[in-house]
Amino acid sequence: MAEPGKPVQIKVVDDVVIRFAGDSGDGMQLTGTQFTNTAAIIGNDISTLPDYPAEIRAPAGTLAGVSGFQVHLASADIHTPGDEPHVLIAMNPAALKASLRNLAPGGTIIVNTDEFTRGNLRKAEYESNPLEDDSLQNYMVHTVPITTLNRNAVEDIEGLFAKGINRSRNFFALGLTFWMYDRSLDNTIAWIEKKFQKRPEIVEANRRALQAGYNYGNTTRTFQIRYRVKPAHLPPGIYRKITGSEAIALGMVTASELADKPLVYCSYPITPASDILHNLASLKHFDVRTFQAEDEIAAMGAAIGAAFGGAFAATGTSGPGVALKSEAINLAVALELPVVIVDVQRGGPSTGLPTKVEQSDLLQVMYGRNGESPVVVLAPSTPSDCFDITIEAFRLAVRGMSPVFVLADGYLANSAEPWALPDPESMEPIAVKHPKPEDFQNGSKFLPYGRDPETMGRPWAIPGTPQLEHRVGGLGKQPGTGNVSHMPEDHQQMVAERAAKVASLVDVIPDLKVIGEDTGDLLVIGWGSTYGAILQAVQRAQRDGKRVSAAHLRYLNPFPGNLGDVMARFDRILVPEMNMGQLAMLLQARYLQEINSLPKVQGQPFKISEIRNKIDEILSQGLGTVGD
Amino acid sequence: MSDTIKLNRKDFRSDQTVRWCPGCGDYAILAQVQKVLPDIGVPKENIVFISGIGCSSRFPYYMNTYGIHSIHGRAPTLAAGLKLANPDLTVFVITGDGDGLSIGGNHLLHACRRNVDINILLFNNRIYGLTKGQYSPTSLPGTRTKTSPMGSLEQAFNPISVALAAEATFVARTIDREQRHMGEILRRAAAHRGTSFVEILTNCLIFNDGTFSDVTDREIRDDNRLRLEQGQPMIFGQDNDKGIRMSGCFEPEVVSLDDVDAEDILVHNDKLEGSQLAYMLSRMTRPDFPVPFGVFRDVDHLTYEEGVFQQVERAQAARGVGELKDLYVASDTWMVDDDRNGHNGHKGAIHDED
């Protein structure tokens, strides 16, 4: 708390974007997470962007090794981690260099001067020391010898080795940041005490480092202003912080409980999807059965086997894993079994950018399989929406007896936001029907591929049920019986039935909502994690008097039934997406309306300003010209 | 219900026409499986056959049980997932030398290593049949086919050695032409808890006829094969006059019973925890040795799915059976009050999850 009498001014701001940046080994993800937790607990709205290298420990001090964590906290409803950090905490020259280009003009920089050695400057490819030339003159720079100050604070702790001394300096930086933002240390201290309870010397070092950082802010006059971000006006309720990966895991468990089914989650480790498996592996008391498969193909195969056995089956992966699973996904299409496939998209092609975001798997999941292979495709818009959409995925999978894709991405998976805890009592159970022998007593014959007239789904008869023994397979089938058939008419009918079944889900998915006026000069259509940036860009344009609306697709196959009508009410359509225009292509092909595409493939989410600028650019063009 | 009515082999025949080539060894395996299943004490609705792709993999269509004809090489993965959904099912994986040891080699290894309680029947005819006669991973070096007109250049896999190296807990070999022996092996495989791997040598009349003739031809077979019997000395030959003796540094040798003492003949033991003896036997091949038939290894380990369910039980005992309302609570929760003043007094308790 600020001490009365100090000539330090507290300035109330609506929001602030802080970026912690350091070496991969500097603990920046932990520092950012702790800062976020405290902000969340006092009631700020938060949105985070962890941004780390693919290597676990890239060479220390290099640009490749910089690990960043950006957090946006606000007293208003926010939807993105912020376009530009206002404050940068740079633990070394590489962190400064890598983060500087995004920093807001006039922004604050706190640098650990101890690390600005000649060697580190060279590793960061600096020709001269930026702290000594005038390259930082447009920023408010605070030079703090963090390493030295931290060492002074902790070096006399008994049992603490030399390596442990420097390891705590991220807590010094965190303590200083807590002071700047008028935050209590209590929550982080409690966390430290619990996390390192078996290592008292580490607890002591981290606690002292944290306090020393805080005291440094308090006692030196380096900082004239402290900032305060008031709690946000969120709807009442109990909240927690949640990432997309956590939300997907919780959504899967919830769906299985709503159906009174065990969850079998089969996966092969892959960035950035592994966290889902990590989360689920620790939830065995919910009768979650996790299977770490030998490869991506095996993970999909096991999920299919589990679904055949009557469990709620799911797998999670990223783009390269989807490529490997494709043949097995097609088997699930042919067997018509409910399997949920989560694709946490990352930059491609090939291994691409394992830790960076992209939305370039849309066409892969829609069409990247042999034959006519329709599947249901959903996309969550926010970390907390990952929860809802995962439950929806199971609901549709069971109804349509079909594989369902959830197209998340690396940004959604790792990003955190406040989440109002749902009330299990208010959730609708997921009805699952398995046929029984007595359903077929009055002469009706069990047909493995007979279709429910309402859902077009086939019966989910599971092994262990007497008299309903049947065989399914990937070969061409006779409709109804499912017996192997290569007859021309049989094949055409089966292809048509599978397509119609998926298409018919349009009857149970909600209409697309327009955010803003129902008609206007421009409609910005998005899908997936671009939601926040698009929403805020459109809201800003609306405030500026533009006739612009937004619409966000959570359902990509089938599209909402009113999508074509919604699009037709606008003169122009803009589709920002983190690929080269995949949704734009689908929309143009389907609705024959001209689309302006705003592609971005930089491994980073959209900035609000990028979309806002594109809106102006399109609106300034005369009607009838092609955008893009 | 059906478990109280004694089933017979006809109960396991599906209404589909069997479409293997006339004279194919697979017919004999199908007949024997249908004969054995009524005896294993499992209702047929609890039996599932899962196959990959290839001639052998058409098998499930002909069985009146639950079944999946899956994709090439992947049947063990489906079987593992199925056992996690319902561990009470009796699951057979039907595969071939190409399906199981080439495209699906990885999955076969890992199924064995995990000791999933499934029965893997690998039909080994040393050829790709369904794609019309290319050499397979078990084809002997020099095999001439359309893709190896000058003879194949690759060392053949020995399926028994592979399964043993992959830590399979039950490993056996039988052959299409020996119905009674196959029946015994299938019964023991079904009774085994954990992964049972059974190599069934089978003749492809069209593309690889006679590949196993030295162990099937009436005139020579008894001199070319060794029947492994638990606790019995390894004696073989038309006149039961030859045996296997250990010599030197774990090297087997064929000896004449006239020349050695009976106690020098190796006695078979498939219950050994170490797989050294089983592996040594698996390496015995023609022409220097007789081909061993029977059970190489049969040891009792915890199965994969038993382990999974034990962990579920332990987690439930330690933390209580999970309830949704507890699922959502994390280490830090906070309350946003109704007054909308943004007063946030409540801080949640620290929970174990984090």
Side-chain angles (χ1 to χ4, degrees):
Chain A
M1 291 293 114
E3 286 171 36
K6 282 255 173 189
V8 173
Q9 186 194 342
I10 290 202
K11 195 172 160 187
V12 176
V13 290
D14 289 338
D15 73 327
V16 67
V17 178
I18 304 172
R19 186 175 181 89
F20 298 90
D23 213 44
S24 304
D26 279 343
M28 290 297 102
Q29 302 302 319
L30 189 155
T31 308
T33 304
Q34 282 303 312
F35 192 80
T36 307
N37 287 353
T38 292
I41 285 171
I42 78 121
N44 291 138
D45 197 1
I46 52 159
S47 176
T48 68
L49 174 65
D51 182 13
Y52 50 88
E55 297 79 15
I56 302 303
R57 293 279 187 274
T62 63
L63 289 164
V66 173
S67 171
F69 188 101
Q70 188 165 316
V71 52
H72 186 186
L73 42 143
S75 56
D77 193 15
I78 50 161
H79 302 278
T80 77
D83 282 8
E84 299 170 325
H86 306 122
V87 179
L88 168 67
I89 291 106
M91 298 297 281
N92 67 10
L96 177 67
K97 189 168 196 183
S99 310
L100 197 60
R101 65 191 174 122
N102 286 325
L103 195 64
T108 300
I109 303 173
I110 298 170
V111 287
N112 178 9
T113 50
D114 288 329
E115 296 300 314
F116 279 66
T117 60
R118 190 182 278 187
N120 280 346
L121 288 165
R122 196 174 53 239
K123 281 188 216 163
E125 297 164 25
Y126 268 119
E127 280 167 14
S128 67
N129 188 341
L131 305 180
E132 290 164 3
D133 59 30
D134 52 6
S135 60
L136 300 177
Q137 61 179 352
N138 292 332
Y139 305 100
M140 191 109 72
V141 182
H142 299 287
T143 53
V144 185
I146 292 178
T147 307
T148 308
L149 291 168
N150 185 62
R151 185 183 305 127
N152 294 343
V154 305
E155 67 185 347
D156 63 334
I157 296 172
E158 208 173 312
L160 193 65
F161 296 107
K163 241 163 65 181
I165 291 173
N166 279 346
R167 201 165 273 175
S168 58
R169 65 191 167 188
N170 59 328
F171 282 97
F172 186 97
L174 179 62
L176 178 56
T177 318
F178 275 142
W179 180 83
M180 282 182 70
Y181 288 91
D182 188 24
R183 294 290 149 89
S184 156
L185 306 180
D186 294 351
N187 185 59
T188 294
I189 290 175
W191 180 85
I192 290 169
E193 285 171 351
K194 182 161 182 291
K195 174 83 181 172
F196 303 104
Q197 55 184 325
K198 288 179 185 152
R199 304 282 304 276
E201 76 283 6
I202 306 277
V203 171
E204 183 62 13
N206 290 340
R207 207 177 45 75
R208 274 203 215 173
L210 188 72
Q211 193 70 54
Y214 190 93
N215 294 347
Y216 178 82
N218 210 14
T219 53
T220 66
R221 297 294 181 86
T222 318
F223 302 91
Q224 297 302 311
I225 305 171
R226 298 172 75 185
Y227 301 89
R228 187 174 288 162
V229 182
K230 287 189 167 171
H233 295 286
L234 298 170
I238 298 175
Y239 281 77
R240 64 170 281 189
K241 195 189 64 154
I242 199 162
T243 66
S245 294
E246 289 166 343
I248 289 167
L250 298 188
M252 285 187 180
V253 177
T254 303
S256 66
E257 294 274 320
L258 290 174
D260 197 18
K261 282 283 183 189
L263 175 68
V264 180
Y265 183 75
C266 313
S267 187
Y268 183 73
I270 184 170
T271 304
S274 303
D275 278 341
I276 302 169
L277 179 57
H278 302 163
N279 280 301
L280 288 169
S282 67
L283 293 172
K284 292 196 164 68
H285 58 305
F286 284 90
D287 197 7
V288 172
R289 305 160 194 180
T290 53
F291 180 68
Q292 182 178 316
E294 60 269 26
D295 60 28
E296 293 283 356
I297 299 168
M300 188 63 211
I304 294 171
F308 186 69
F312 262 27
T315 183
T317 185
S318 189
V322 173
L324 281 163
K325 289 178 193 300
S326 293
E327 188 198 20
I329 293 168
N330 245 352
L331 178 66
V333 168
L335 301 187
E336 301 192 34
L337 285 171
V339 183
V340 171
I341 307 151
V342 179
D343 176 3
V344 185
Q345 300 168 95
R346 66 190 215 190
S350 189
T351 309
L353 307 173
T355 61
K356 311 289 181 195
V357 66
E358 210 162 276
Q359 294 181 303
S360 44
D361 293 346
L362 176 59
L363 293 181
Q364 178 181 220
V365 306
M366 289 284 287
Y367 301 116
R369 292 173 300 280
N370 69 303
E372 296 290 343
S373 173
V375 295
V376 183
V377 184
L378 312 180
S381 52
T382 64
S384 50
D385 190 35
C386 287
F387 177 81
D388 298 322
I389 214 123
T390 302
I391 298 172
E392 179 74 349
F394 276 104
R395 221 179 268 286
L396 296 181
V398 168
R399 181 190 162 97
M401 289 294 284
S402 168
V404 176
F405 264 103
V406 173
L407 272 181
D409 63 42
Y411 161 53
L412 279 179
N414 290 325
S415 176
E417 66 173 359
W419 181 54
L421 304 194
D423 173 18
E425 304 293 319
S426 69
M427 295 182 205
E428 198 186 326
I430 299 177
V432 175
K433 200 179 148 220
H434 297 301
K436 297 271 173 290
E438 48 270 30
D439 300 342
F440 303 94
Q441 272 170 352
N442 45 6
S444 66
K445 188 172 182 294
F446 168 64
L447 290 173
Y449 281 80
R451 299 201 179 275
D452 180 308
E454 193 194 331
T455 66
M456 293 194 70
R458 74 175 189 91
W460 192 6
I462 58 174
T465 313
Q467 298 163 43
L468 302 188
E469 293 88 353
H470 65 282
R471 277 66 57 194
V472 293
L475 282 170
K477 294 173 185 63
Q478 187 182 49
T481 65
N483 287 335
V484 176
S485 169
H486 297 187
M487 296 288 287
E489 300 79 10
D490 284 353
H491 183 57
Q492 178 126 16
Q493 187 179 335
M494 286 301 292
V495 169
E497 283 182 8
R498 286 189 291 259
K501 178 186 74 173
V502 170
S504 76
L505 290 172
V506 73
D507 298 338
V508 292
I509 68 174
D511 269 351
L512 183 66
K513 286 201 189 73
V514 177
I515 304 163
E517 297 295 322
D518 273 352
T519 174
D521 297 332
L522 178 68
L523 177 68
V524 187
I525 301 180
W527 68 279
S529 70
T530 56
Y531 169 76
I534 291 174
L535 178 68
Q536 296 206 290
V538 168
Q539 284 173 342
R540 286 180 192 178
Q542 289 168 345
R543 280 202 293 273
D544 295 342
K546 312 287 184 193
R547 299 183 65 230
V548 178
S549 297
H552 200 75
L553 289 168
R554 295 169 79 238
Y555 298 84
L556 295 158
N557 196 37
F559 283 133
N562 65 336
L563 174 56
D565 293 341
V566 168
M567 286 170 61
R569 294 199 297 266
F570 289 84
D571 292 335
R572 317 271 182 89
I573 308 288
L574 170 63
V575 178
E577 49 187 331
M578 290 181 283
N579 58 48
M580 293 302 282
Q582 299 189 9
L583 176 67
M585 189 183 105
L586 293 179
L587 293 177
Q588 198 150 320
R590 170 85 181 265
Y591 299 103
L592 303 177
Q593 198 168 342
E594 214 166 80
I595 307 286
N596 295 271
S597 173
L598 174 56
K600 180 173 182 180
V601 281
Q602 298 175 2
Q604 298 292 327
F606 273 104
K607 291 179 180 177
I608 299 166
S609 58
E610 290 168 337
I611 298 169
R612 178 69 191 87
N613 293 342
K614 186 71 182 182
I615 290 171
D616 276 350
E617 185 193 318
I618 291 171
L619 290 176
S620 68
Q621 291 163 355
L623 273 178
T625 50
V626 181
D628 193 14
Chain B
M1 294 305 292
S2 38
D3 57 344
T4 59
I5 301 163
K6 174 69 180 152
L7 300 171
N8 64 46
R9 64 169 75 183
K10 282 188 192 143
D11 293 312
F12 287 94
R13 284 184 198 153
S14 79
D15 57 0
Q16 298 295 294
T17 312
V18 184
R19 293 193 200 165
W20 287 311
C21 307
C24 178
D26 292 359
Y27 282 96
I29 306 172
L30 178 66
Q32 199 53 224
V33 169
Q34 286 168 336
K35 186 176 176 209
V36 164
L37 285 184
D39 303 336
I40 66 169
V42 179
K44 75 183 164 88
E45 64 269 19
N46 284 357
I47 299 174
V48 185
F49 280 81
I50 304 179
S51 64
I53 294 293
C55 293
S56 60
S57 286
R58 296 298 177 97
F59 199 97
Y61 287 121
Y62 309 136
M63 295 297 301
N64 187 20
T65 63
Y66 285 90
I68 304 177
H69 178 217
S70 79
I71 44 177
H72 209 6
R74 320 302 175 197
T77 72
L78 279 87
L82 178 59
K83 288 292 279 188
L84 288 181
N86 184 352
D88 298 332
L89 299 173
T90 294
V91 177
F92 287 85
V93 167
I94 304 295
T95 185
D97 39 314
D99 188 66
L101 289 169
S102 190
I103 192 166
N106 192 31
H107 309 305
L108 185 82
L109 297 182
H110 291 277
C112 293
R113 173 178 73 85
R114 290 192 183 99
N115 201 32
V116 184
D117 186 16
I118 56 177
N119 308 291
I120 301 173
L121 310 185
L122 186 142
F123 300 9
N124 181 11
N125 59 10
R126 293 179 172 164
I127 201 80
Y128 282 93
L130 202 60
T131 50
K132 299 194 176 160
Q134 300 82 10
Y135 69 95
S136 91
T138 57
S139 296
L140 301 179
T143 300
R144 287 174 189 271
T145 68
K146 275 172 267 185
T147 54
S148 56
M150 297 169 71
S152 74
L153 296 167
E154 302 167 26
Q155 175 62 44
F157 257 144
N158 177 329
I160 300 291
S161 299
V162 170
L164 288 167
E167 310 290 346
T169 52
F170 181 97
V171 180
R173 175 187 284 146
T174 185
I175 186 163
D176 54 0
R177 297 277 283 270
E178 298 284 329
Q179 286 286 303
R180 183 179 300 184
H181 185 259
M182 197 198 307
E184 284 166 23
I185 296 295
L186 291 174
R187 279 187 189 84
R188 277 192 65 182
H192 174 74
R193 188 179 77 128
T195 301
S196 306
F197 176 86
V198 181
E199 178 193 18
I200 307 177
L201 308 183
T202 179
N203 191 43
C204 175
L205 200 69
I206 308 295
F207 296 111
N208 207 16
D209 190 25
T211 185
F212 297 114
S213 58
D214 51 358
V215 289
T216 54
D217 282 0
R218 196 171 294 273
E219 297 76 35
I220 54 171
R221 65 185 183 192
D222 287 335
D223 284 329
N224 292 341
R225 60 187 189 183
L226 168 69
R227 193 61 64 84
L228 300 173
E229 308 262 16
Q230 178 66 2
Q232 296 300 312
M234 297 180 194
I235 293 171
F236 67 103
Q238 209 148 13
D239 306 313
N240 281 327
D241 57 347
K242 286 179 272 205
I244 304 295
R245 183 176 76 168
M246 293 304 292
S247 82
C249 188
F250 214 69
E251 285 289 330
E253 64 176 340
V254 174
V255 292
S256 165
L257 291 190
D258 299 338
D259 304 336
V260 298
D261 293 334
E263 54 263 34
D264 286 347
I265 301 298
L266 211 50
V267 172
H268 185 52
N269 186 352
D270 55 39
K271 303 288 185 194
L272 297 174
E273 183 52 42
S275 51
Q276 293 89 336
L277 175 67
Y279 188 76
M280 183 272 282
L281 290 170
S282 79
R283 305 311 294 168
M284 299 203 314
T285 51
R286 297 285 305 138
D288 297 332
F289 292 97
V291 178
F293 288 87
V295 177
F296 291 72
R297 188 175 197 226
D298 181 6
V299 294
D300 190 36
H301 289 187
L302 186 75
T303 70
Y304 176 75
E305 60 272 29
E306 283 170 341
V308 169
F309 289 101
Q310 282 179 9
Q311 288 193 349
V312 167
E313 279 170 29
R314 264 167 46 207
Q316 291 180 336
R319 301 169 73 176
V321 176
E323 287 192 42
L324 283 185
K325 62 180 171 47
D326 303 324
L327 176 67
Y328 308 133
V329 179
S331 54
D332 296 317
T333 58
W334 69 94
M335 176 94 86
V336 174
D337 292 338
D338 228 350
D339 59 13
R340 298 219 161 207
N341 288 329
H343 172 71
N344 302 283
H346 175 83
K347 187 186 151 198
I350 304 287
H351 287 258
D352 282 332
E353 280 83 1
D354 198 348

